[in-house]
Coordinates of all heavy atoms in Angstrom, one line a residue:
F280 N 100.1 99.1 124.0 CA 100.6 98.0 123.4 C 99.8 96.7 123.5 O 99.4 96.0 122.6 CB 102.0 97.6 123.7 CG 103.1 98.4 123.1 CD1 103.7 99.5 123.8 CD2 103.4 98.1 121.9 CE1 104.7 100.2 123.3 CE2 104.5 98.9 121.3 CZ 105.1 99.9 121.9
S281 N 99.3 96.5 124.7 CA 98.5 95.2 125.1 C 97.1 95.3 124.5 O 96.6 94.4 123.9 CB 98.5 95.1 126.6 OG 97.8 96.3 127.2
R282 N 96.5 96.5 124.5 CA 95.1 96.6 123.8 C 95.3 96.4 122.3 O 94.4 95.6 121.7 CB 94.5 98.0 124.0 CG 93.3 98.3 123.3 CD 92.5 99.5 123.9 NE 92.1 99.4 125.3 CZ 91.3 100.4 125.7 NH1 90.8 101.4 125.1 NH2 90.9 100.2 127.0
A283 N 96.4 97.1 121.6 CA 96.5 96.8 120.2 C 96.8 95.3 119.9 O 96.2 94.8 118.9 CB 97.6 97.8 119.8
L284 N 97.6 94.6 120.8 CA 98.0 93.2 120.5 C 96.8 92.4 120.7 O 96.5 91.5 119.8 CB 99.0 92.8 121.6 CG 100.4 92.7 121.1 CD1 101.4 92.3 122.2 CD2 100.5 91.5 120.1
R285 N 96.0 92.6 121.6 CA 94.7 91.8 121.9 C 93.8 92.1 120.7 O 93.2 91.1 120.2 CB 93.9 92.3 123.2 CG 92.8 91.4 123.5 CD 92.2 91.9 124.7 NE 93.1 91.6 125.9 CZ 93.7 92.5 126.6 NH1 93.6 93.7 126.4 NH2 94.5 92.1 127.6
A286 N 93.7 93.3 120.1 CA 92.9 93.5 118.9 C 93.4 92.9 117.7 O 92.7 92.4 116.9 CB 92.7 95.0 118.8
A287 N 94.7 92.8 117.5 CA 95.4 92.4 116.5 C 95.1 90.9 116.2 O 95.1 90.4 115.0 CB 96.9 92.5 116.5
L288 N 94.9 90.1 117.3 CA 94.6 88.7 117.1 C 93.2 88.6 116.4 O 93.0 87.3 115.9 CB 94.5 88.0 118.6 CG 95.9 88.0 119.3 CD1 95.7 87.3 120.7 CD2 96.9 87.3 118.6
R289 N 92.4 89.5 116.3 CA 91.1 89.4 115.7 C 91.1 90.2 114.3 O 90.1 90.3 113.6 CB 89.9 90.1 116.4 CG 89.7 89.5 117.9 CD 88.6 90.0 118.5 NE 88.7 91.4 118.9 CZ 89.3 91.9 120.0 NH1 89.7 91.1 120.9 NH2 89.4 93.2 120.3
E290 N 92.4 90.6 113.9 CA 92.5 91.3 112.6 C 93.2 90.6 111.5 O 93.8 91.2 110.6 CB 93.1 92.7 112.9 CG 92.4 93.6 113.8 CD 93.1 94.8 114.4 OE1 94.3 94.8 114.3 OE2 92.4 95.5 115.2
D291 N 93.1 89.3 111.6 CA 93.7 88.4 110.7 C 95.2 88.7 110.2 O 95.5 88.8 109.0 CB 92.8 88.3 109.5 CG 93.3 87.3 108.4 OD1 93.8 86.1 108.9 OD2 93.1 87.3 107.3
P292 N 96.1 89.0 111.2 CA 97.5 89.3 110.7 C 98.3 87.9 110.6 O 98.0 86.8 111.1 CB 98.1 90.0 112.0 CG 97.4 89.4 113.1 CD 96.0 89.1 112.6
D293 N 99.3 88.0 109.7 CA 100.3 86.9 109.6 C 101.6 87.2 110.4 O 102.1 86.3 110.9 CB 100.6 86.8 108.1 CG 99.4 86.4 107.2 OD1 98.9 85.2 107.3 OD2 99.1 87.2 106.5
V294 N 101.9 88.5 110.4 CA 103.0 88.9 111.2 C 102.7 90.2 112.1 O 102.0 91.0 111.6 CB 104.2 89.4 110.2 CG1 105.4 89.9 110.9 CG2 104.6 88.3 109.2
I295 N 103.0 90.0 113.3 CA 102.8 91.1 114.2 C 104.1 91.6 114.8 O 104.9 90.9 115.2 CB 102.0 90.6 115.5 CG1 100.7 90.1 115.0 CG2 101.7 91.8 116.5 CD1 99.8 89.3 116.1
V296 N 104.4 93.0 114.6 CA 105.5 93.7 114.9 C 105.4 94.5 116.1 O 104.4 95.4 116.2 CB 106.2 94.4 113.8 CG1 107.5 95.1 114.3 CG2 106.3 93.7 112.6
V297 N 106.0 94.3 117.3 CA 105.8 94.9 118.5 C 107.1 95.8 118.8 O 108.1 95.3 119.0 CB 105.5 94.1 119.8 CG1 105.1 94.9 120.9 CG2 104.3 93.1 119.5
G298 N 106.9 97.1 118.8 CA 108.0 98.0 119.0 C 108.9 97.7 120.2 O 110.0 97.9 120.2
E299 N 108.1 97.3 121.3 CA 108.8 97.1 122.6 C 107.9 96.2 123.5 O 106.7 96.5 123.6 CB 109.2 98.4 123.3 CG 109.9 98.1 124.5 CD 110.4 99.5 125.3 OE1 110.1 100.5 124.7 OE2 110.6 99.5 126.5
L300 N 108.4 95.2 124.0 CA 107.8 94.3 124.9 C 108.1 95.1 126.4 O 109.1 94.8 127.0 CB 108.3 93.0 125.0 CG 108.0 92.1 123.7 CD1 108.6 90.7 123.8 CD2 106.5 92.1 123.4
R301 N 107.1 95.8 126.9 CA 107.3 96.5 128.0 C 106.8 96.0 129.4 O 107.4 96.3 130.4 CB 106.6 98.0 128.0 CG 107.1 98.7 126.9 CD 106.5 100.1 126.7 NE 107.1 101.0 125.8 CZ 106.6 102.1 125.5 NH1 105.6 102.7 126.0 NH2 107.2 103.0 124.7
D302 N 105.8 95.2 129.3 CA 105.2 94.7 130.6 C 104.6 93.3 130.5 O 104.7 92.7 129.5 CB 104.1 95.8 131.0 CG 103.1 95.9 129.9 OD1 102.6 95.0 129.3 OD2 102.5 97.1 129.7
L303 N 104.1 92.8 131.7 CA 103.7 91.5 131.6 C 102.7 91.2 130.7 O 102.6 90.2 130.1 CB 103.3 91.2 133.1 CG 102.9 89.7 133.5 CD1 103.0 89.5 134.9 CD2 101.3 89.4 133.1
E304 N 101.6 92.0 130.6 CA 100.5 91.8 129.8 C 101.0 91.8 128.3 O 100.5 90.9 127.5 CB 99.4 92.8 130.0 CG 98.1 92.6 129.2 CD 97.0 93.5 129.5 OE1 97.2 94.6 130.1 OE2 95.9 93.3 129.0
T305 N 101.9 92.7 127.8 CA 102.2 92.7 126.4 C 103.0 91.4 126.1 O 102.9 90.8 125.1 CB 103.1 93.9 126.3 OG1 102.3 95.1 126.6 CG2 103.5 94.0 124.8
I306 N 103.9 91.0 127.1 CA 104.8 89.9 126.8 C 103.8 88.6 126.8 O 104.1 87.7 126.0 CB 105.8 89.7 127.9 CG1 106.9 90.8 127.9 CG2 106.4 88.3 128.0 CD1 107.8 90.8 129.2
S307 N 102.9 88.5 127.7 CA 102.0 87.4 127.5 C 101.2 87.3 126.4 O 101.0 86.2 125.7 CB 100.9 87.5 128.8 OG 100.0 86.5 128.9
L308 N 100.7 88.4 125.8 CA 99.8 88.5 124.5 C 100.8 88.0 123.5 O 100.5 87.5 122.5 CB 99.3 89.7 124.4 CG 98.0 90.1 125.3 CD1 97.7 91.6 125.2 CD2 96.9 89.4 124.9
A309 N 102.1 88.6 123.5 CA 102.9 88.3 122.4 C 103.2 86.8 122.3 O 103.2 86.2 121.2 CB 104.3 89.1 122.6
L310 N 103.4 86.2 123.5 CA 103.7 84.6 123.5 C 102.4 83.9 123.0 O 102.5 83.0 122.4 CB 103.9 84.3 125.0 CG 105.3 84.6 125.6 CD1 105.4 84.2 127.0 CD2 106.4 83.8 124.8
T311 N 101.2 84.5 123.3 CA 99.9 83.8 122.9 C 99.9 83.8 121.4 O 99.5 83.0 120.7 CB 98.8 84.5 123.6 OG1 98.8 84.3 125.0 CG2 97.4 83.9 123.1
A312 N 100.2 85.1 120.9 CA 100.2 85.2 119.5 C 101.2 84.3 118.8 O 100.8 83.8 117.6 CB 100.5 86.7 119.1
A313 N 102.4 84.2 119.3 CA 103.4 83.4 118.6 C 102.9 81.9 118.8 O 103.1 81.1 117.8 CB 104.7 83.6 119.3

Side-chain angles (χ1 to χ4, degrees):
F280 279 101
S281 57
R282 176 173 290 191
L284 254 175
R285 189 176 289 106
L288 296 176
R289 300 189 295 271
E290 292 161 1
D291 190 31
D293 301 288
V294 181
I295 302 174
V296 181
V297 185
E299 182 182 348
L300 296 179
R301 291 182 176 176
D302 52 41
L303 184 152
E304 187 175 12
T305 304
I306 293 173
S307 177
L308 288 166
L310 285 172
T311 299

